[in-house]
Amino acid sequence: MAITAFCGVVVFILSGIKENRSKVMEGTIDDVCTTVEELNSINSLIHPNLNKLRKSEFFRIFKVNLEQECPFWEAEGTCITNKCVVDECEAGEVPNEFKMCNQTFDVERNLQISEMSMINSFIPSTQIDEWMKIEEKDDEAVFVNLVKNGHAWTFFNGSHIWDAIYNENCMSLLELDQCTENQVLYKLISGVHANVNLHITHNDFDLNGDPLPPNHERYLERVGLHEERLENLFFTYSLALKAINNLSGKIDEFSYLSDNPQVDNEVKETLNDLIENSIKICENPFREENMFTQWTKEQFINTVKPVFYNITRILDCVTCEKCKLYGKLQFTGLTAVMKIMFGQEKESKLTRNEMVGLINLMAKLSDSIEWYYQWLQYEQSYEYPVLYALKNHWMMLLLIVPIVIYEISCFFKTKPKLKTSVKKSQ
């Protein structure tokens, strides 16, 4: 009886294991003109380049205003762990050139966008002419070393922030019937959201600030079990990758403001290697022309830009410093992506902060893709079923295993001995 119950428990646990495994991403994704498998191959090549770049002086120093008040509601909340706190750069850590805020980077776009069809409803022009507020010229902005202030789990509940971001995107575009999963800005927001969740899952800490192993349960709950979120992660990755590929041939024209020309050249070489490694597998990982079958490019920009701007203002309502820092960093990177891919001629220059945001966004997306495949590998390992059963069904096992052992022992104790007959020899 107990053995039958035990077998039932095993079947129950195995079915639970099957349901608690990541969605496996395969093949193509809408508007991504390469396969998920090719994107993973590209990522394996460029991840070392991105790691090297984000540790360099130019790309590890980011300027941000962490004191800006929330313009939408009275933001309340305090950090309950020291992982919320951001340490500013020390005196002498920031090169003087970074403080001058006058360097821009020319970017070149080579887009062939279809303008054959129009949407029926009229899209009014906007008074907002920026993708987001430029904080490099903000007197309250400070310089932060991203390497010293790593992205981590802080126990901050940002669900209301994400709800406001999704609602801003949805309500602003509702009248255009564009508040759907196929809407570009929605996919980008969802992709960044998945990216954030993968990072706070991987960089886990307890309330005392002590590091913990990556949190598989939180990963599954927030990303791994949701195919749409994973798709949007790859969608955002491919668009950011295409933006960086579009910088091909322009890298050597930039100055990376190093006092050491050798360091400056190393940054250029690493950037060129990154683009070369990407292009040799897939030069065009994203089909932006497919986005404009109903909109013209100008209609898209005039509609999306004010929505994007308001979304970035919502980030000022985050009361966790570390969360606000990395929210602003990644949306600054998205600003660079939007300007490179869809910007008008007057937007052909990126600020230093936007360049820093672009590379760090790409590096973080690259981390997330790598961690996703690491989780897949872990879930396919022999240890996962055992650990899953012990963690999630330990009480059930604790009750039934001793009973099974007892019944087995009783069976052998009471098992009758076989009688042997000896033939007498005659």
Side-chain angles (χ1 to χ4, degrees), residues 46-56 274 363 367 370:
I46 69 174
H47 193 257
N49 301 132
L50 289 164
N51 268 336
K52 186 175 180 181
L53 285 170
R54 65 175 156 193
K55 293 175 185 175
S56 67
L274 187 159
D367 289 337
E370 185 166 276

Side-chain angles (χ1 to χ4, degrees), residues 78-343:
T78 56
C79 287
I80 61 174
T81 169
N82 59 7
K83 287 299 172 183
C84 289
V85 179
V86 172
D87 296 321
E88 299 176 20
C89 285
E90 299 175 359
E93 194 175 355
V94 182
N96 289 328
E97 292 87 347
F98 290 10
K99 301 174 183 178
M100 295 172 67
C101 303
N102 59 2
Q103 188 190 27
T104 57
F105 299 83
D106 287 320
V107 294
E108 182 179 1
R109 291 175 301 282
N110 183 22
L111 302 180
Q112 296 178 347
I113 297 172
S114 169
E115 307 229 1
M116 292 187 295
S117 59
M118 302 278 189
I119 58 173
N120 295 326
S121 53
F122 171 71
I123 302 177
S125 61
T126 174
Q127 298 296 320
I128 298 175
D129 200 27
E130 296 175 351
W131 290 97
M132 70 181 298
K133 183 181 177 182
I134 301 174
E135 296 197 343
E136 284 172 287
K137 298 181 180 180
D138 195 324
D139 292 337
E140 294 184 343
V142 296
F143 287 98
V144 172
N145 186 323
L146 298 171
V147 174
K148 292 182 179 179
N149 292 275
H151 204 170
W153 170 244
T154 65
F155 291 86
F156 174 71
N157 183 357
S159 57
H160 63 296
I161 300 295
W162 285 109
D163 287 345
I165 288 174
Y166 284 115
N167 287 337
E168 171 62 23
N169 170 53
C170 178
M171 295 307 296
S172 298
L173 301 176
L174 188 59
E175 63 186 56
L176 303 177
D177 195 28
Q178 291 296 322
C179 184
T180 68
E181 288 75 12
N182 295 322
Q183 200 262 327
V184 176
L185 194 52
Y186 172 88
K187 288 185 175 183
L188 291 175
I189 294 168
S190 175
V192 170
H193 195 180
N195 188 35
V196 168
N197 277 323
L198 271 154
H199 276 265
I200 63 176
T201 292
H202 194 82
N203 302 302
D204 199 15
F205 290 85
D206 63 20
L207 280 169
N208 296 320
D210 296 322
L212 297 171
N215 193 316
H216 183 250
E217 186 177 347
R218 188 188 303 142
Y219 153 75
L220 285 177
E221 177 190 347
R222 298 188 176 208
V223 185
L225 296 177
H226 306 276
E227 186 173 355
E228 178 200 303
R229 297 175 191 179
L230 288 166
E231 283 186 359
N232 292 335
L233 175 68
F234 280 95
F235 176 91
T236 305
Y237 178 93
S238 65
L239 182 59
L241 184 64
K242 176 64 181 294
I244 289 178
N245 285 356
N246 280 2
L247 298 180
S248 178
K250 307 291 289 184
I251 297 300
D252 293 338
E253 298 176 16
F254 300 163
S255 172
Y256 299 95
L257 305 176
S258 171
D259 295 332
N260 187 338
Q262 183 179 350
V263 173
D264 210 63
N265 288 330
E266 284 179 2
V267 172
K268 293 178 181 179
E269 287 176 9
T270 306
L271 274 168
N272 282 318
D273 286 346
L274 187 159
I275 295 172
E276 183 181 338
N277 285 332
S278 171
I279 288 177
K280 69 183 178 184
I281 294 181
C282 180
E283 183 174 358
N284 187 27
F286 189 84
R287 293 191 292 258
E288 64 271 17
E289 63 274 7
N290 288 1
M291 294 166 46
F292 297 96
T293 56
Q294 293 185 322
W295 289 4
T296 66
K297 175 185 171 184
E298 287 73 23
Q299 287 173 320
F300 172 78
I301 292 170
N302 289 339
T303 305
V304 170
K305 188 185 287 187
V307 179
F308 193 89
Y309 184 87
N310 281 330
I311 286 172
T312 60
R313 293 176 70 213
I314 293 172
L315 297 175
D316 285 320
C317 302
V318 177
T319 54
C320 161
E321 282 191 350
K322 185 73 66 68
C323 310
K324 184 183 290 189
L325 166 65
Y326 279 97
K328 289 193 171 188
L329 174 71
Q330 295 193 68
F331 273 94
T332 301
L334 265 189
T335 295
V337 171
M338 301 298 271
K339 288 173 75 170
I340 294 171
M341 298 295 295
F342 312 117

Side-chain angles (χ1 to χ4, degrees), residues 369-394:
I369 299 297
E370 185 166 276
W371 292 334
Y372 164 68
Y373 282 101
Q374 287 178 1
W375 282 126
L376 282 182
Q377 189 174 11
Y378 164 69
E379 290 166 0
Q380 293 165 2
S381 66
Y382 292 109
E383 64 181 296
Y384 177 58
V386 176
L387 293 174
Y388 174 85
L390 291 175
K391 183 176 182 180
N392 295 282
H393 302 290
W394 62 270

